[in-house]
């Protein structure tokens, strides 16, 4: 087993039980908390709560997050330069409402002490809840059973809730429950940057605290970013008899205490309702009113109705988004785990970004990257288009900041950030950040796909056209026509972060080309709106000319597309003498050495062939794929999914399956040894892409939706659903044939390989042509994906 991937083994070896609709951890393993707190995290895109124990301790890394709520900090520069971003942003662990401490005959329930006679936790993908059952014997020999269930509501955006039940197992018992709101809780240091540590040390300043009956509220603001937030809790208590209750609140702690004698055979049940809100503009009294109202609504709705609404929301999601795999139960579970966490990341983000870690941990400082538009939005566009629209509306809401950034850099149009929380560039490393202009084209590509799939004319007028226009304007400003008439885009960084500031990166140029073409087409279609944006016929002609004459480098001697100009002439990295422990390379070698060698961190040219496959011949795809397989080390979780998709297209089906497994199991197997900091949302979305774009062969080039399906050897069947032009279609693939079915809506025009057809009321069954034999391809020594049989 490759050391990169930890201990290896199946999920069951790691404490997880393989099941189609749940992720269950049976048995107590405190050493695994760093992983399970992320995998068991709950979110709705607005609120995120890591899967820590209700009792607060033991824990690895507590975390409660509000999407877009951050603290500001100065970016470090040894030598500053013109145009460098001045401030960074770091997600804040806000007021923790998940804590319910328990004392059993005056003994605190702490899983590090006493004995866990039975313990399991279950993340249920259909109910959208995290359940837990623990039978615990205290150090003095008293035994209790704890059952809990928690949710972050998809239907009530500001609300989370926990039901916590305690039952004595050995006679009458004295219990005390303490339900907390805790701010500025200490968290382990997770960075060597003292500026980040300082920003996260007690980041919340108290503004207001109040309590009465069973309700409490705490209000705070951040020191530098000036954002304000409120957190509130209320409770329902089902008691077997009389109890003594009290509540208190001060600056950073509100606590409800319930003391009760519970007779044998009975139980106490505490239902805790939480509400969160934040704003950059609204006052503390307004935020307090907001969370009070959310709590009142949650209490009126009640626990059972909240559960029912959660299930209804997910029933609808799964009816459209589910992917069925026959032949590999572990990957069936992994794909549903992936889909569940992606919808958690994007469902109710609304006016905010979808961070690279969702709201499952503080990794990447809570920033959003281009990952969202390239990997996450294709999934949401075809399964949950409202969430995709909201993510694009967030980009549109930051246009003024992107225009200002472009102006700072001496460019026209808009320049969207490489990493950000609020829309401002937060990368202090300009070769990877500022120079990664492909982000603009990634956003434009997501806009164009959304418009193609949904036909949302209102969005096109309100947001879509302006996003396409301003991104197109940047390319005209950034590039130039050379003496041969070619349009060049020099000095940019593509998706591969082991190459930087290169000329004519093929991914960037091809994506910019499509950006320019899409902007021109929509400007002509929406002439009045385009005119209001200052678009002229001359500007449209300029876009079209740049797109037509875009330089796409090609190495005639090798018969491949260089990743960027002259890439194929660089010295090759010495893979043979690079020890396994020196991966990822960026942690062991200087960037200047990586930049001048032929070594690829993550799919770049290969990703271009996925998103712009219409720009390559089948022969070019096969040759390019083989060439870049030998150079790509996958030091990024973004790579495996793209490599899986292209491996399927060019006929390497077992290799495609191995890469698919890597993308799907990235977090459940902790393949990159960093799941403690949160899940890899783009890799999880990439698992869907590997199924739908890869084995389903789906492409959405040039205004048509086509499929070229192929099953890998291990699978007997794949089935998935898509929303297209307001209709729902299902695709069911077996080794020899594929059935297309119109589940609802109007007929849809589709392509099966090179054959067009109209999918109407009756299913259409098509044969799958045999896959021609292909020559094996090689990866750098030690960097091949783990064979699926070994996972």
């Amino acid at each position: 087993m490759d050391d990169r991937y930890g201990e290896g083994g199946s999920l069951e070896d790691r404490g997880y039980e393989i099941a189609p609709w749940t992720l269950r951890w049976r048995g107590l393993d405190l050493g695994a908390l760093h992983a399970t707190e992320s995998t068991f995290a709950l979110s709705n895109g607005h609120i995120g709560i890591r899967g820590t124990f209700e009792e607060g301790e033991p824990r690895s890394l507590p975390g409660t997050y509000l999407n877009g709520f951050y603290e500001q900090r100065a970016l470090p520069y040894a030598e500053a330069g013109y145009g460098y971003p001045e401030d960074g942003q770091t997600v804040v662990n806000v007021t923790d409402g998940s804590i319910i401490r328990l004392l059993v005959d005056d003994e605190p329930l702490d899983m590090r002490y006493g004995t866990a006679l039975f313990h399991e936790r279950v993340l249920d993908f259909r109910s959208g809840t995290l359940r837990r059952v623990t039978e615990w014997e205290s150090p003095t020999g008293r035994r209790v059973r704890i059952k809990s269930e928690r949710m972050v509501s998809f239907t009530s955006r500001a609300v989370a809730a926990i039901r916590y039940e305690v039952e004595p197992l050995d006679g009458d018992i004295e219990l005390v429950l303490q339900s907390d709101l805790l701010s500025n809780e200490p968290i382990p240091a997770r960075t060597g940057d003292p500026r980040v540590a300082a920003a996260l040390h007690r980041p919340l300043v108290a503004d207001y605290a109040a309590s009465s009956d069973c309700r409490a509220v705490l209000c705070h603001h951040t020191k530098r970013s000036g954002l304000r937030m409120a957190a509130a809790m209320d409770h329902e208590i089902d008691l077997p008899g009389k109890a003594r209750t009290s509540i208190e609140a001060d600056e950073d702690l509100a606590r409800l205490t319930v003391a009760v004698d519970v007779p044998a055979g009975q139980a106490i049940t505490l239902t805790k309702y939480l509400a969160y809100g934040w704003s950059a503009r609204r006052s503390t009294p307004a935020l307090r009113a907001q969370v009070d109202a959310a709590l009142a609504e949650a209490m009126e709705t009640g626990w059972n109705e909240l559960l029912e609404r959660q299930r209804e929301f997910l029933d609808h999601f799964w009816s459209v988004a589910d992917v069925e795999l026959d032949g590999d139960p572990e990957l069936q579970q992994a794909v549903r785990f992936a889909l569940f966490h992606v919808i958690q990341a994007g469902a109710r983000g609304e006016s905010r970004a979808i961070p690279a870690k969702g709201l499952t941990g503080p990794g990447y400082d809570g920033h959003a990257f281009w990952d969202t538009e390239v990997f996450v939005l294709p999934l949401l566009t075809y399964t949950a288009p409202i969430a995709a629209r909201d993510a694009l509306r967030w980009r549109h809401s930051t246009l003024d900041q992107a225009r200002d950034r472009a102006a700072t850099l001496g460019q026209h149009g808009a320049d969207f950030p490489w990493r950000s929380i609020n829309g401002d560039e937060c990368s202090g490393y300009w070769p990877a950040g500022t120079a990664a202009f492909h982000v603009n084209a990634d956003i434009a590509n997501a806009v164009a796909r959304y418009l193609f799939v949904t036909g949302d004319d209102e969005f096109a007028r309100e947001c879509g056209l302006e996003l396409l226009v301003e991104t197109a304007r940047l390319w005209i400003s950034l590039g130039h026509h050379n003496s041969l008439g070619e349009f060049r885009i020099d000095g940019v960084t593509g998706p591969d972060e082991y190459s930087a500031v290169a000329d004519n990166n093929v991914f960037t140029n091809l994506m910019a080309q499509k950006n320019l073409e899409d902007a021109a087409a929509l400007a002509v279609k929406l002439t009045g709106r385009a005119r209001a944006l200052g678009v002229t016929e001359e500007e449209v002609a300029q876009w079209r000319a740049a797109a037509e004459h875009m330089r796409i480098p090609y190495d005639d001697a090798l018969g491949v597309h260089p990743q960027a100009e002259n890439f194929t002439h660089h010295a090759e990295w010495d893979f043979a003498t690079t020890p396994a422990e020196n991966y990822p390379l960026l942690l062991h070698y200087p960037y200047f050495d990586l930049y001048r060698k032929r070594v690829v961190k993550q799919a770049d040219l290969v990703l271009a062939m996925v998103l712009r496959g219409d720009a390559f011949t089948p022969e070019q795809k096969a040759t390019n794929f083989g060439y870049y397989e030998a150079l790509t080390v996958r030091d990024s979780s973004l790579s495996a999914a793209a490599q899986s998709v292209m491996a399927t297209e060019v006929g390497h089906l077992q290799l495609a399956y191995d890469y698919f497994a890597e993308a799907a199991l990235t977090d459940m197997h902790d393949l990159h040894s960093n799941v403690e900091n949160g899940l890899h949302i783009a890799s999880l979305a990439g698992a869907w892409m590997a199924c739908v774009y890869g084995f389903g062969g789906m492409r959405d080039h040039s205004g048509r939706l086509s499929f070229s399906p192929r099953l890998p050897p291990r699978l007997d069947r794949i089935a998935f659903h898509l929303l297209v032009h307001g209709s729902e279609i299902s695709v069911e693939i077996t080794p020899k044939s594929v059935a297309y079915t119109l589940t609802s809506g109007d007929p849809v025009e589709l392509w099966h390989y090179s054959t067009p057809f109209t999918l109407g009321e009756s299913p259409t069954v098509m044969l799958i042509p045999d896959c021609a034999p292909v020559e094996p391809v090689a990866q750098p020594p030690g960097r091949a994906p783990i064979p699926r049989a070994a996972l």
Side-chain angles (χ1 to χ4, degrees):
M1 182 61 64
D2 192 316
D3 289 340
R4 287 176 293 155
Y5 299 155
E7 299 172 1
S10 70
L11 289 183
E12 289 178 325
D13 294 331
R14 296 167 184 273
Y16 293 117
E17 177 184 291
I18 296 173
W21 287 101
T22 59
L23 186 70
R24 183 189 306 267
W25 185 285
R26 197 186 299 271
L28 182 63
D29 182 357
L30 299 181
L33 291 180
H34 74 284
T36 57
E37 288 175 359
S38 294
T39 58
F40 288 153
L42 294 177
S43 173
N44 61 8
H46 173 58
I47 304 167
I49 299 176
R50 283 174 59 81
T52 49
F53 291 146
E54 282 84 6
E55 295 79 29
E57 296 180 17
R59 60 189 180 179
S60 173
L61 184 64
T64 303
Y65 310 107
L66 298 178
N67 194 351
F69 192 85
Y70 66 91
E71 180 57 305
Q72 201 163 291
R73 57 186 173 82
L75 285 174
Y77 295 109
E79 292 186 33
Y82 177 80
Y84 284 17
E86 295 180 359
D87 293 311
Q89 299 161 3
T90 300
V91 65
V92 171
N93 177 30
V94 300
T95 304
D96 187 350
S98 67
I99 298 172
I100 303 174
R101 304 186 194 276
L102 173 65
L103 288 86
V104 177
D105 274 356
D106 204 34
E107 289 274 2
L109 192 156
D110 186 321
M111 304 295 279
R112 293 168 294 192
Y113 305 100
T115 304
L117 305 173
F118 177 85
H119 178 71
E120 72 171 17
R121 306 182 84 195
V122 181
L123 181 67
D124 191 318
F125 311 145
R126 290 182 295 187
S127 69
T129 62
L130 176 64
R131 298 190 296 271
R132 172 254 190 117
V133 178
T134 299
E135 293 181 6
W136 182 72
E137 183 177 80
S138 74
T140 57
R142 298 308 309 269
R143 292 189 295 119
V144 293
R145 178 184 295 118
I146 299 96
K147 295 181 180 179
S148 71
E149 188 168 16
R150 67 171 74 169
M151 72 164 72
V152 176
S153 176
F154 286 116
T155 57
S156 297
R157 182 174 182 259
V159 171
I162 305 170
R163 176 158 284 190
Y164 190 86
E165 176 185 295
V166 187
E167 174 188 0
L169 297 178
D170 59 354
D172 301 352
I173 204 164
E174 295 179 1
L175 300 177
V176 176
L177 280 75
Q178 297 174 320
S179 177
D180 290 357
L181 288 176
L182 177 61
S183 301
N184 288 318
E185 59 187 325
I187 59 175
R190 56 178 178 81
T191 175
D193 185 345
R195 297 169 181 83
V196 177
L200 296 179
H201 177 66
R202 300 189 61 81
L204 299 175
V205 179
D207 293 322
Y208 180 84
S211 61
S212 64
D213 298 325
C214 293
R215 178 176 293 201
V217 60
L218 299 180
C219 299
H220 291 81
H221 71 270
T222 52
K223 299 172 185 174
R224 288 198 59 193
S225 62
L227 305 181
R228 288 179 290 277
M229 65 152 295
M233 66 177 180
D234 206 341
H235 304 79
E236 293 173 343
I237 310 172
D238 185 4
L239 296 168
K242 293 183 178 180
R244 184 171 63 255
T245 65
S246 62
I247 195 165
E248 58 184 333
D250 62 20
E251 291 185 346
D252 286 341
L253 175 67
R255 173 172 291 163
L256 171 71
T257 301
V258 181
V260 61
D261 295 333
V262 180
Q266 298 193 47
I268 177 175
T269 302
L270 178 76
T271 306
K272 181 176 187 177
Y273 299 92
L274 297 164
Y276 288 92
W278 77 268
S279 177
R281 299 184 180 91
R282 301 180 67 215
S283 66
T284 295
L287 286 170
R288 181 191 172 193
Q290 177 184 338
V291 295
D292 280 345
L295 271 185
E297 181 181 358
M299 297 283 285
E300 176 64 23
T301 301
W303 172 260
N304 290 333
E305 181 65 20
L306 282 173
L307 275 183
E308 184 176 335
R309 292 178 184 180
Q310 191 86 336
R311 180 65 178 248
E312 288 175 354
F313 177 94
L314 285 168
D315 282 348
H316 174 72
F317 172 71
W318 289 117
S319 71
V320 176
D322 190 25
V323 175
E324 299 173 63
L325 306 178
D326 291 354
D328 195 328
E330 184 180 30
L331 279 186
Q332 174 67 89
Q333 177 189 48
V335 168
R336 286 180 174 144
F337 171 87
L339 289 167
F340 178 72
H341 274 292
V342 172
I343 194 61
Q344 284 203 132
R348 300 302 302 272
E350 298 174 2
S351 60
R352 304 296 168 192
I354 298 177
K357 295 288 188 180
L359 298 176
T360 66
Y364 302 126
D365 283 333
H367 294 166
F369 294 76
W370 60 281
D371 311 11
T372 298
E373 283 76 21
V374 169
F375 294 93
V376 179
L377 291 197
L379 188 166
L380 294 179
T381 297
Y382 281 104
T383 62
I386 292 174
R389 180 200 63 195
D390 289 344
L392 291 171
R393 284 190 183 277
W394 172 75
R395 286 293 192 184
H396 184 264
S397 74
T398 67
L399 255 175
D400 285 344
Q401 292 151 279
R403 290 189 187 100
D404 289 345
R405 180 65 177 156
T408 296
L409 299 175
Q411 306 299 319
H412 299 298
D415 176 29
F416 285 97
W418 184 58
R419 60 186 300 167
S420 182
I421 293 178
N422 76 344
D424 291 330
E425 179 60 76
C426 288
S427 173
Y429 185 62
W430 68 268
T434 296
F437 291 101
H438 69 87
V439 177
N440 265 35
D442 302 335
I443 295 167
N445 183 257
V447 169
R449 177 180 295 104
Y450 174 79
L451 295 177
F452 163 68
V453 173
T454 66
D456 188 341
D457 291 335
E458 180 182 2
F459 176 83
R461 288 184 172 84
E462 291 182 356
C463 304
L465 178 61
E466 191 170 16
L467 284 167
L468 292 176
V469 164
E470 294 295 355
T471 50
R473 285 171 171 165
L474 180 83
W475 299 120
I476 297 300
S477 176
L478 195 66
H480 71 282
H481 290 274
N482 65 13
S483 60
L484 300 176
E486 297 172 313
F487 190 79
R488 300 177 57 91
I489 304 175
D490 296 330
V492 300
T493 299
D496 170 33
E497 294 152 21
Y498 287 171
S499 298
V501 198
D503 294 343
N504 296 304
N505 170 257
V506 171
F507 177 93
T508 301
N509 285 22
L510 285 175
M511 295 290 282
Q513 181 184 58
K514 187 176 188 302
N515 187 170
L516 292 161
E517 292 170 347
D518 289 337
L522 194 58
V524 170
K525 179 181 178 181
L526 303 178
T527 306
R529 176 63 178 143
R531 189 179 301 116
L533 296 172
V535 177
T536 64
E537 291 182 3
E538 290 76 15
E539 188 173 24
V540 170
Q542 194 177 26
W543 295 341
R544 286 176 168 158
E548 181 181 356
H549 298 289
M550 186 69 68
R551 170 149 177 77
I552 309 299
Y554 187 76
D555 188 322
D556 291 300
L558 293 175
V560 299
H561 288 84
Q563 183 171 280
E565 205 95 64
N566 296 318
F567 177 83
T568 53
H569 299 293
H570 292 175
E572 184 173 322
W573 185 267
D574 187 358
F575 296 108
T577 62
T578 302
E581 62 270 19
N582 281 10
Y583 290 96
L585 299 178
L586 77 162
L587 299 182
H588 300 90
Y589 300 95
Y591 268 117
F592 88 88
D593 204 21
L594 294 168
Y595 288 166
R596 64 196 187 93
K597 299 288 180 62
R598 274 184 291 145
V599 56
V600 179
K601 179 183 180 183
Q602 62 205 60
D604 188 307
L605 194 285
V606 169
L607 184 59
M609 294 193 295
V610 173
L611 298 179
R612 286 298 320 274
D614 54 332
F616 301 87
T617 68
E619 295 75 19
Q620 288 172 342
K621 290 177 183 177
T623 305
N624 285 338
F625 181 78
Y627 181 82
Y628 286 98
E629 274 294 286
L631 302 176
T632 303
V633 295
R634 295 191 329 288
D635 282 347
S636 166
S637 63
L638 298 180
S639 197
Q643 288 174 269
S644 178
V645 172
M646 280 312 302
T648 301
E649 182 171 348
V650 300
H652 298 279
L653 296 181
Q654 183 57 53
L655 179 61
Y657 197 65
D658 294 342
Y659 280 137
F660 162 49
E662 183 174 305
L665 295 170
T666 286
D667 293 312
M668 291 196 295
H669 278 196
D670 196 9
L671 299 186
H672 293 263
S673 301
N674 59 4
V675 73
E676 177 181 18
N677 289 319
L679 305 181
H680 298 79
I681 300 302
S683 183
L684 297 177
W688 177 89
M689 291 183 71
C691 290
V692 175
Y693 281 77
F695 306 130
M698 186 189 79
R699 297 293 186 272
D700 43 23
H701 302 315
S702 305
R704 73 184 194 188
L705 191 63
S706 64
F707 298 85
S708 302
R710 294 193 189 282
L711 277 191
R714 180 158 175 179
L715 295 184
D716 302 315
R717 172 179 167 271
I718 292 180
F720 56 85
H721 309 264
L722 302 170
L723 291 173
V724 184
H725 309 319
S727 299
E728 181 182 340
I729 65 173
S730 68
V731 181
E732 185 175 16
I733 308 164
T734 58
K736 296 295 184 182
S737 65
V738 56
Y740 302 97
T741 303
L742 182 66
T743 305
S744 65
D746 297 330
V748 180
E749 300 299 319
L750 302 176
W751 289 68
H752 174 79
Y753 286 87
S754 58
T755 303
F757 68 99
T758 301
L759 182 61
E761 293 182 1
S762 301
T764 298
V765 178
M766 298 280 199
L767 296 178
I768 297 175
D770 291 336
C771 185
V774 293
E775 291 295 322
V777 294
Q779 295 76 36
R783 305 309 291 171
I786 302 169
R788 175 63 195 132
L791 280 172

